[in-house]
Amino acid sequence: MANQNIRTPRFYPDYISYLLSRGVVQNGNFDVTATNATNKFMGTFTTGSEAELFDMNPLNLVTFDTSADPDGHVLITINKGDATQKINYIAILNHNLVSSVGKIRIFAGDHSSDVTSIDGTAAEIDGTGINWSDNLPVEIVNADTIAHASSAQGGTYEDKSVTIEPGTNGTTIFTFPETSLQYWGIQFEGNTTNTGVSVNGTWGSTDFSVGCIMMGEFYDMPHAPELSVKKSITFDQVSIQKSIGGQKFSNMTSFGRTASTTSKSPFSISSFPQNIYGGRISYDMQFNYLASTDLMPNETGSVQPTDDAVIEDVWNKTNGNHLPFIFSIDKDSTGNNAESEHIFARFGQNALNMTQVAPDVFNISMRIEEEF
């Protein structure tokens, strides 16, 4: 969408970091499968660790030694703890899947054994799993080629997984029909000999790296904010001092997003710092006349995963301004150049004030600030 026009916003809170923030341990729930040459698993880190895959710091790269094992598969298994919380998106931030010649494969199930086999071959598709041919993901950002597992892998594997091939290094987001399946497999595999198809290839000579993995349920606001939206671009890391004679001296510790040939801030496309826009983007938005059912869950004694409401799906999942999230100013912005409508962000407030303006009708304000 041209000029980053503000329409109906969408939030992508991360359910993994929410669980970690509430005391769920990483080890045993969000794991990288150990190296096993027989089974073609590759779990050797050259930089970083398992925990850093979920630290919500996209510039903190985790690198795998894929160049030493071109046939290896990096399998990350996710146990979200229950079969009630809905999932409908996955985001891979600051990856180099084009440079390393790789792609993403997704599969899921209601048993832990559904997601521990290479390529998701143990997943079920009838009743307790996902038939990916009927539930193909949709590209939001940089998910150019999407294909479900086909008979080329053998009939028993058909439709049990889906592959996503990004067009560039950077950030990839894709969505799919919501499901509450408990166990997920996110596999990164080579793509050299089978570009754009759903069977295995090999890695290139550059090691695969990734900054952060997110998954959860996105939330669309019920309507666009009021017209008086304030958008700001602030160079808040500039310090100016004035001499006794009145001359000013400036020091800039950061101009905002970063970019290089090996790493880039979320939703930056260029690999050169002089070719990206600087400053921190922020939005001050007012949403008026929200129905109480769109704002608050039915009950507050425990979480209500089946509810769709601002507090249930966004404010509680981020612990207010504690956890970053992905924010889009237009829920319908997808595909080429959709990066322009997305930022990696955090709430710029620690309180969500709700003003009742009519029976069961409320106004709220939000401040969204870009996170570096």
Side-chain angles (χ1 to χ4, degrees), residues 31-37 40-50 53 62-66 69 72-76:
D31 297 314
V32 175
T33 303
T35 296
N36 185 319
K40 295 187 176 182
F41 288 127
M42 213 298 298
T44 303
F45 299 92
T46 55
T47 62
S49 63
E50 281 184 340
L53 289 168
V62 176
T63 306
F64 295 88
D65 195 15
T66 52
D69 185 7
H73 297 63
V74 178
L75 176 59
I76 299 166

Side-chain angles (χ1 to χ4, degrees), residues 4-57:
Q4 300 85 53
N5 294 320
I6 298 168
R7 298 294 186 259
T8 301
R10 172 177 288 182
F11 293 85
Y12 295 88
D14 177 46
Y15 191 59
I16 296 174
S17 59
Y18 165 76
L19 291 174
L20 293 171
S21 75
R22 296 298 180 95
V24 175
V25 297
Q26 174 265 312
N27 195 33
N29 291 299
F30 317 113
D31 297 314
V32 175
T33 303
T35 296
N36 185 319
T38 302
N39 293 331
K40 295 187 176 182
F41 288 127
M42 213 298 298
T44 303
F45 299 92
T46 55
T47 62
S49 63
E50 281 184 340
E52 289 170 285
L53 289 168
F54 314 106
D55 65 359
M56 299 298 280
N57 182 0

Side-chain angles (χ1 to χ4, degrees), residues 42 64-70 203-208:
M42 213 298 298
F64 295 88
D65 195 15
T66 52
S67 61
D69 185 7
W203 293 98
S205 59
T206 299
D207 283 342
F208 165 61

